[in-house]
Amino acid sequence: MKALPLATSGLNRATFVGCGRAYRRLCRALAGLSAILVSSALVLSDSSAFETPESPQGTTGTPSYPNLAPTPPMGWNSWLYYGCDVTEKAVLENARALVRSGLAARGYNTVTIDECWMTTKRDRAGDLVANPVKFPHGMPFVARRLHEMGLKFGIYADAGTTTCTKKFPGSVGHFQQDANLFARWGVDYLKLDGCHVPIAPSETKEETFHDVYRQMSQALLNTGRPIVFSVSAPAYFQYDGDSVWRKVIGWSSDIGNLWRSGRDIASERAAPAAKWPSIKYNFDYNSLLADMQKPGRWNDPDFLLAGNSGLTTEEIQSQMALWSVMAAPLISGTDLTKLSPAAFDVLSNREVIAVDQDRLGIQGRIVDKGAGFAVLSKPLANGDRAVALFNSGETERAITTSARAVGLPAARSYLLKDLVTDRVGRVGGTFSARVAPHATKLFRVRALSY
């Protein structure tokens, strides 16, 4: 999703050109005919990728989208830094930087081309077309190069009539065609935005969004290729009331693997003074959604700003720690070819990444909160707890919590490891740390039996 005010993002009543309730019988018939026509042209991947008996059941009672992201996705996306200046050269240079730096080996393995990659019109066959100036070798070439590097290929589309900049064609009315095209290109990850979705006359905004996103979800399944599906719908309902917002998140977890939960984070082009408040704002709304997330289904508070100008080391460490304790996707949005040593250290921290990627897949919860601070606790697979002490204020402060408060069992003492400094200590039932302004201390805490 791009940073457009929801009131002006094109979500006005219009004749709906997708398959709303009033159109479903006709659309089912057309979809069946389309499937027959395209089936001979599709090259299907191993269908075993879709045999996911352990996938969670969704809130609607229907089978969920396959669990293609058992841990939060990690990687790089072009939007924050490049915006509409994205090119094949920039994408491949950043991909090589992921591999060369070792970040890919630590989990950052998906490279996603965001908006502005396509031409302003579809071709005569109705297919989306990569901009030949920006991507002179085409998207299959980019996919091959990324796959040769051991990386996955992500791409952007929009569920409406046009993309968020209003310059490029949306996918409404073309969901199966676009899904088939992406599968042929070798796409592994789709981010589907929600700008300019025309609302069906007989439906609410929420019902229409559910319709169009469900259509793309099914279209991706029909291709036979395992494509991680990132749903942007909840971001368009953040201000529509908590019950509606949560309803949208609920069905997003049925039809996709992760979802943009709210407002966009600040881009590289934003004023430096806007970036820290943006991180804090996105943390605030996402931290309220722990009950909506489940293993394999991820709340996404948007990209990591490590490497962007206008942030201190404490601030980028804070975002990395908070996103990790919330089990959020870790997707870099900077120019990795110019990554500073400090930003690299933040992004590559194995211990912090391990908290994010813990196989229990549980989002950490706020266990204590006050003016200018919060304490979060996340259970880990080995019985430890990840504990974050977040100082959102403007002055240094001591933040105190207890083993009981963070959910640890009673014990004579606890092993406390600072995941940024690697310092290890032994503490009693209560522990405290002095935390700099805008900083977060992230600890792994273990109950000791001796």
Side-chain angles (χ1 to χ4, degrees), residues 28-165:
R28 280 196 295 268
L30 291 174
L33 177 60
S34 297
I36 293 171
L37 292 174
V38 303
S39 61
S40 62
L42 282 176
V43 178
L44 300 184
S45 63
D46 183 1
S47 62
S48 64
F50 290 90
E51 295 173 4
T52 54
E54 297 180 359
S55 293
Q57 293 293 305
T59 58
T60 63
T62 57
S64 296
Y65 195 75
N67 191 6
L68 302 177
T71 58
M74 297 175 63
W76 177 86
N77 179 288
S78 63
W79 181 254
L80 280 194
Y81 191 86
Y82 294 95
C84 279
D85 295 329
V86 61
T87 64
E88 175 185 293
K89 181 175 182 290
V91 170
L92 294 180
E93 284 181 348
N94 277 274
R96 294 185 192 102
L98 276 179
V99 175
R100 185 174 59 250
S101 67
L103 289 173
R106 299 194 184 185
Y108 295 88
N109 62 5
T110 300
V111 171
T112 301
I113 301 171
D114 212 287
E115 194 185 351
C116 303
W117 61 264
M118 60 184 84
T119 56
T120 56
K121 294 182 180 179
R122 293 173 179 267
D123 66 15
R124 290 183 179 180
D127 282 335
L128 298 170
V129 179
N131 184 305
V133 175
K134 294 180 178 181
F135 294 88
H137 297 96
M139 290 304 177
F141 169 83
V142 175
R144 286 195 302 273
R145 290 292 178 265
L146 293 176
H147 291 157
E148 287 167 0
M149 294 182 222
L151 301 172
K152 297 177 182 179
F153 175 36
I155 205 162
Y156 168 100
D158 188 274
T161 54
T162 61
T163 62
C164 291
T165 61

Side-chain angles (χ1 to χ4, degrees), residues 263-282 305 309-311 315:
R263 184 190 294 177
D264 288 8
I265 208 151
S267 72
E268 172 62 20
R269 291 171 171 79
K275 293 179 180 177
W276 171 250
S278 179
I279 290 172
K280 183 180 179 300
Y281 180 88
N282 285 27
L305 295 183
S309 59
L311 292 168
E315 289 168 344

